Amino acid sequence: MADYVIKKAEYIISGTKKEHYPKLNLPEFVFMGRSNVGKSSFINAICKRKKLAYTSSKPGKTITLNFYNINDSFMLVDVPGYGYAQKTVQDRLKFGEMIEEYLNTAENLKSCFLIVDLRHDPTNDDKLMYEYLKHFEKKVVVIATKADKLSKNQMAHNLKRVKEVLKLAKEDKAIVVSSETRLGIENVYDYLISELS
């Protein structure tokens, strides 16, 4: 399928509580992943914008839920990265409360994108986040990123490992992508379109 046409991709608002969420009543897709896993780069690749989502050399910079309006058709929600060692216990508790409130109250949430690094096995934090999302009975799409760093054989082998380590449920998908080469981005568009139709 041809690339999805992005006519509009704009940052709307950041927030930490339900009262901060935008009132646009559009379908939402939330993006989660370890700090420095390439989440912002992936969002920018989907939206065909270089600097829509803030990418930083310092992990752990995102501390709020960031909402982006795409084509007035759906919202992308960027969540703070998890697993960053220098975050305090208090920060982690706030993160947990913020995510739990969002998962419990987001009436328009369609799917959760869990972003992992295809070069390595999912971390314990990745496994915990996947289990956490399934606890809330959410639909999960695992995005295995940084694929441009691997050969095709390595991609296939490592994707199998990702599914095994996470114990990926049959109803959930895993998509191999590269934000650099745009490998797999069309598959992400196909998934978004199927969820919106």
Side-chain angles (χ1 to χ4, degrees):
M1 174 178 172
D3 262 2
Y4 182 65
V5 178
I6 303 287
K7 295 178 180 175
K8 177 179 184 177
E10 64 179 11
Y11 163 79
I12 299 295
I13 198 169
S14 297
T16 56
K17 296 178 180 176
K18 185 180 179 182
E19 51 263 35
H20 303 153
Y21 304 164
K23 308 293 189 289
L24 292 180
N25 198 30
L26 294 173
E28 294 175 6
F29 299 89
V30 68
F31 291 72
M32 299 173 164
R34 222 167 11 93
S35 295
N36 241 16
V37 77
K39 184 160 49 69
S40 297
S41 298
F42 175 58
I43 291 172
N44 289 335
I46 292 173
C47 298
K48 300 177 188 171
R49 303 285 190 275
K50 286 188 177 175
K51 295 181 180 177
L52 182 68
Y54 181 69
T55 58
S56 172
S57 57
K58 289 185 178 179
K61 286 293 254 185
T62 305
I63 54 173
T64 56
L65 301 175
N66 297 325
F67 293 82
Y68 301 92
N69 175 7
I70 311 301
N71 285 355
D72 292 323
S73 298
F74 60 95
M75 304 273 286
L76 302 183
V77 185
D78 186 15
V79 167
Y82 55 79
Y84 183 46
Q86 289 185 19
K87 281 188 175 172
T88 64
V89 172
Q90 191 176 12
D91 285 339
R92 290 179 189 182
L93 287 171
K94 281 183 188 170
F95 171 85
E97 289 169 4
M98 183 171 66
I99 300 307
E100 188 164 339
E101 181 179 37
Y102 176 74
L103 293 175
N104 273 322
T105 63
E107 295 170 5
N108 297 319
L109 179 60
K110 302 285 281 185
S111 303
C112 304
F113 285 82
L114 178 61
I115 297 150
V116 301
D117 188 335
L118 184 61
R119 297 172 300 176
H120 314 289
D121 280 0
T123 65
N124 283 331
D125 285 325
D126 293 329
K127 289 190 280 184
L128 285 170
M129 182 54 78
Y130 180 71
E131 289 165 9
Y132 186 68
L133 294 172
K134 296 317 289 182
H135 168 74
F136 286 101
E137 300 181 339
K138 300 302 179 186
K139 192 184 290 186
V140 181
V141 180
V142 175
I143 298 295
T145 192
K146 303 185 191 274
D148 53 287
K149 309 286 196 293
L150 301 171
S151 68
K152 282 191 176 179
N153 283 344
Q154 287 173 316
M155 282 184 213
H157 174 268
N158 290 18
L159 182 62
K160 188 179 175 200
R161 283 291 301 156
V162 165
K163 291 177 180 178
E164 287 171 355
V165 172
L166 292 178
K167 296 177 182 168
L168 196 70
K170 285 183 180 178
E171 68 269 17
D172 293 332
K173 290 178 69 76
I175 302 174
V176 170
V177 304
S178 166
S179 300
E180 294 292 320
T181 66
R182 297 189 62 78
L183 171 74
I185 297 297
E186 284 190 20
N187 295 335
V188 176
Y189 290 147
D190 288 346
Y191 177 79
L192 290 169
I193 291 164
S194 72
E195 286 293 290
L196 292 167
S197 59

